[in-house]
Amino acid sequence: MTARAERYVSELAEWFRKHGNRSVAIPMENYMRGQYPFLGIKTPERTRLTKAFWAEHGFPGDEDVLDIVERLWAFPEREFQNVAMAFLERYKKKSKVGDIDKFERLITTKSWWDTVDYLAAHTVGVHLTRFPELLAEYPERWINSDHMWLRRTAILYQLRYKERTDADRLLAYALHCKDESEFFIRKAIGWALREYAKTDAEAVRRFVAANKLSPLSEREALKHIG
């Protein structure tokens, strides 16, 4: 990381820490099942503080963004990972093909649904649209990975694709994982199918009818189409 980027991160961390509120942090930590400590800054305030920081300090150059994101990811308090995702949101259409490896590290570091779901649907989903040559390697490896959050990412990365969805891939991944007992995989299958049903409800109905999914996956998949 450059000295410029390190200074930027230090100033940002100081900015957020001075706005922390322990009485707010406790229920936030409880909601997340004690997975991570919190500063105690709720989403609207965090968004306001992030924009205020950018207004004063500017947004970093493309060459520094991912270094800053990785440094923020290393902080213990969960708000810093949330702020890192705000940086990724602004960077996603400027990413380079090789950034996929950094995105994969983020998915597998401090993993929980709040970061993984964003990274899957927004960061990775956009990146694979921009660089389709990565499809044959990364999602295919993820769906066969022992890492549950990588499998969830493979199922969810098309969540916002709508009519651009590769239905064969989506349904194959759902079928591959349908017998898993892991809640987050069952939920992901149902969620991905539910979103695709907004584009092709009949395809989802046929898939559910033809394959014995977990009750959770089936319920989520058919939630709005019966």
Side-chain angles (χ1 to χ4, degrees), residues 170-171 174-175 178 186 189-197 200-226:
L170 171 63
L171 299 180
L175 198 61
K178 73 179 183 66
R186 291 183 169 190
I189 290 170
W191 185 13
L193 292 174
R194 186 177 78 229
E195 285 301 306
Y196 184 55
D200 192 341
E202 269 309 305
V204 172
R205 286 194 188 98
R206 289 195 302 270
F207 180 80
V208 172
N211 298 283
K212 185 173 177 55
L213 304 181
S214 72
L216 173 59
S217 297
E218 180 173 332
R219 183 168 63 251
E220 288 293 319
L222 302 178
K223 191 170 186 179
H224 301 304
I225 61 173

Side-chain angles (χ1 to χ4, degrees), residues 3-221:
R4 177 184 63 245
E6 189 67 51
R7 183 169 60 253
Y8 188 96
V9 171
S10 295
E11 291 173 350
L12 187 150
E14 182 181 358
W15 170 244
F16 273 89
R17 289 190 191 284
K18 72 180 183 181
H19 288 90
N21 184 328
R22 188 60 196 156
S23 66
V24 175
I26 292 172
M28 294 173 78
E29 291 169 359
N30 291 339
Y31 175 71
M32 293 294 285
R33 301 182 185 178
Q35 292 286 323
Y36 304 101
F38 279 77
L39 294 171
I41 303 172
K42 293 184 177 180
T43 300
E45 178 70 358
R46 188 186 72 240
T47 300
R48 185 189 69 77
L49 291 171
T50 302
K51 290 180 178 178
F53 185 85
W54 287 341
E56 181 175 346
H57 297 270
F59 193 77
D62 294 349
E63 68 279 7
D64 287 330
V65 171
L66 291 186
D67 284 342
I68 289 169
V69 165
E70 290 187 309
R71 182 69 182 89
L72 291 172
W73 219 261
F75 285 119
E77 297 89 354
R78 198 57 164 172
E79 285 90 345
F80 289 117
Q81 286 90 68
N82 296 143
V83 173
M85 291 188 289
F87 280 84
L88 289 173
E89 184 67 24
R90 288 188 59 170
Y91 176 73
K92 65 185 180 183
K93 293 184 179 179
K94 299 179 180 180
S95 62
K96 311 298 188 294
V97 62
D99 292 342
I100 188 69
D101 293 312
K102 293 185 178 180
F103 300 151
E104 182 179 275
R105 284 200 298 274
L106 297 178
I107 292 165
T108 57
T109 306
K110 297 188 176 178
S111 310
W112 197 241
W113 61 265
D114 59 327
T115 54
V116 172
D117 293 359
Y118 172 84
L119 291 167
H122 294 261
T123 306
V124 170
V126 171
H127 197 73
L128 293 177
T129 297
R130 298 181 64 234
F131 303 105
E133 63 270 26
L134 298 172
L135 288 167
E137 178 182 352
Y138 285 85
E140 287 295 303
R141 175 160 54 78
W142 294 342
I143 198 65
N144 291 294
S145 171
D146 291 335
H147 200 292
M148 184 269 290
W149 294 109
L150 286 176
R151 297 198 304 280
R152 183 171 168 100
T153 297
I155 295 166
L156 293 179
Y157 82 86
Q158 298 191 80
L159 203 61
R160 295 160 57 87
Y161 280 20
K162 299 181 180 179
E163 68 280 351
R164 296 182 291 112
T165 301
D166 180 342
D168 289 343
R169 187 185 296 271
L170 171 63
L171 299 180
Y173 286 2
L175 198 61
H176 180 79
C177 296
K178 73 179 183 66
D179 294 324
E180 290 195 35
S181 60
E182 171 58 57
F183 168 83
F184 286 108
I185 294 298
R186 291 183 169 190
K187 185 76 170 183
I189 290 170
W191 185 13
L193 292 174
R194 186 177 78 229
E195 285 301 306
Y196 184 55
K198 297 175 182 177
T199 298
D200 192 341
E202 269 309 305
V204 172
R205 286 194 188 98
R206 289 195 302 270
F207 180 80
V208 172
N211 298 283
K212 185 173 177 55
L213 304 181
S214 72
L216 173 59
S217 297
E218 180 173 332
R219 183 168 63 251
E220 288 293 319

